[in-house]
Every structure is written in structure tokens, then in C-alpha cells.
């Protein structure tokens, strides 16, 4: 019974995050940011890592200041690192976050690039490329791989994903 209640609470939180994402995508960035911040206060710094990762990941996109965006993206990555197969959230949450790692690393690379910190940007771009092997061969995976490629071009990177080079390896079928 307690496990079902925890799942229900988690589902409600994830639904609220989704509602904030919809507001942001509809152009109401300020309202999305306000709702995300309220939800962050409810979850707390020590709340469920999957919820914190997801919320911080989307909260970063609502920031006006690149330094603030970086701070939220770092929070997302920190929470993601807390999720392991044998952790309290279990293997399902860990698997969900593994699919987010390429995007988390890509966002950090883009943040650092905007802040003129190209070495840090390249390091996170390298991490994004490595994590991209976990992506499925679907529209989400294709979109993240394309974004990795675009950022690599902006940073003048060569290697997998650069012009004339093979793309990043895909997850085995």
C-alpha cells in the first residue's frame, strides 16, 4: 500500500513537471519557471533524485541568465548521478536517467559554450557523445544526436559526428 502511495505521489509530481513543460513550450516561460520553482521547494534538495533531475533539467530551459541555466543543469546532472540500479529508486529510474544523460551532458556543453568556456564545453560534448550510445534509434535519439553534431560544428570539433566522419555509435538492437 505504501509503495502504491509513493508511486501516486511521484506520478503527480511528474505530471506537474509535464504541465510546466507544456506552459514553457506554449510560450509562458515565466509561469513555467514560477511553477517549477514552487515544485522545487516542495521536492527539496534531498527529494527523489528522478524528480529533481527531471525538474532541474526543464527548469534550466526557463532561465534568462546563462549562469543560472548552468546551475540548474548541474543540479540535474548531480541528481542523475544519484540514481543507480541498486539505489532506492530502482533500476527503472536508473534506466530512465541513462536515456537523459546525453541530453544532460549536451545542455552542459551548450551552457559552457555560451559562457565562453570552450574546454569545459568540449569535455561535456565528449561525455554527451559517449552517452549517446544508450539512445534508441527513434526521433528523440535522432534529435539529440543531431544537436550533439550541431554543437560539435560550432565548437570546431572533429571526430564522430563531425562532417565527413561517421556519426556516434548507436545502441545495439
Amino acid at each position: 500500500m505504501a509503495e502504491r502511495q509513493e508511486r501516486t505521489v511521484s506520478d503527480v509530481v511528474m505530471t506537474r513537471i509535464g504541465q510546466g513543460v507544456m506552459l514553457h513550450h506554449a510560450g509562458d516561460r515565466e509561469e513555467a519557471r514560477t511553477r517549477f520553482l514552487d515544485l522545487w521547494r516542495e521536492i527539496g534538495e534531498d527529494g527523489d533524485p528522478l524528480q529533481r533531475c527531471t525538474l532541474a533539467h526543464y527548469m534550466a530551459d526557463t532561465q534568462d541568465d546563462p549562469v543560472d541555466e548552468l546551475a540548474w543543469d548541474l543540479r540535474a546532472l548531480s541528481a542523475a548521478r544519484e540514481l543507480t540500479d541498486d539505489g532506492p529508486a530502482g533500476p527503472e529510474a536508473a534506466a530512465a536517467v541513462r536515456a537523459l544523460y546525453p541530453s544532460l551532458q549536451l545542455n552542459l556543453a551548450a551552457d559552457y559554450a555560451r559562457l565562453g568556456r570552450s574546454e569545459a564545453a568540449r569535455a561535456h560534448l565528449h561525455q554527451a557523445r559517449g552517452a549517446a550510445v544508450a539512445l534508441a534509434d527513434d526521433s528523440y535519439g535522432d534529435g539529440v544526436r543531431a544537436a550533439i553534431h550541431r554543437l560539435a560544428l560550432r565548437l570546431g570539433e572533429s571526430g564522430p559526428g563531425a562532417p565527413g566522419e561517421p556519426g556516434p555509435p548507436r545502441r545495439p538492437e
Side-chain angles (χ1 to χ4, degrees), residues 23-92:
L23 281 168
H24 181 233
H25 288 170
D28 199 345
R29 183 181 186 140
E30 188 65 36
E31 180 63 21
R33 183 173 38 232
T34 298
R35 289 190 188 194
F36 286 153
L37 194 53
D38 290 344
L39 192 50
W40 183 261
R41 288 183 189 117
E42 289 176 33
I43 293 171
E45 292 281 334
D46 299 317
D48 177 87
L50 181 59
Q51 293 173 359
R52 286 186 293 118
C53 175
T54 306
L55 180 56
H57 182 61
Y58 289 113
M59 178 65 144
D61 294 338
T62 67
Q63 301 306 302
D64 296 323
D65 183 334
V67 172
D68 293 336
E69 186 172 356
L70 172 63
W72 283 105
D73 281 329
L74 287 169
R75 285 182 185 105
L77 183 62
S78 176
R81 288 182 172 153
E82 293 177 35
L83 291 163
T84 61
D85 287 340
D86 58 350
E92 290 175 8

Side-chain angles (χ1 to χ4, degrees), residues 121-163:
R122 285 184 179 91
H124 284 281
L125 180 62
H126 176 76
Q127 293 293 319
R129 281 182 175 147
V133 299
L135 294 173
D137 192 15
D138 59 12
S139 61
Y140 174 75
D142 292 344
V144 173
R145 283 187 289 273
I148 289 170
H149 177 73
R150 286 190 303 273
L151 184 57
L153 291 175
R154 275 187 32 219
L155 293 173
E157 286 280 305
S158 61

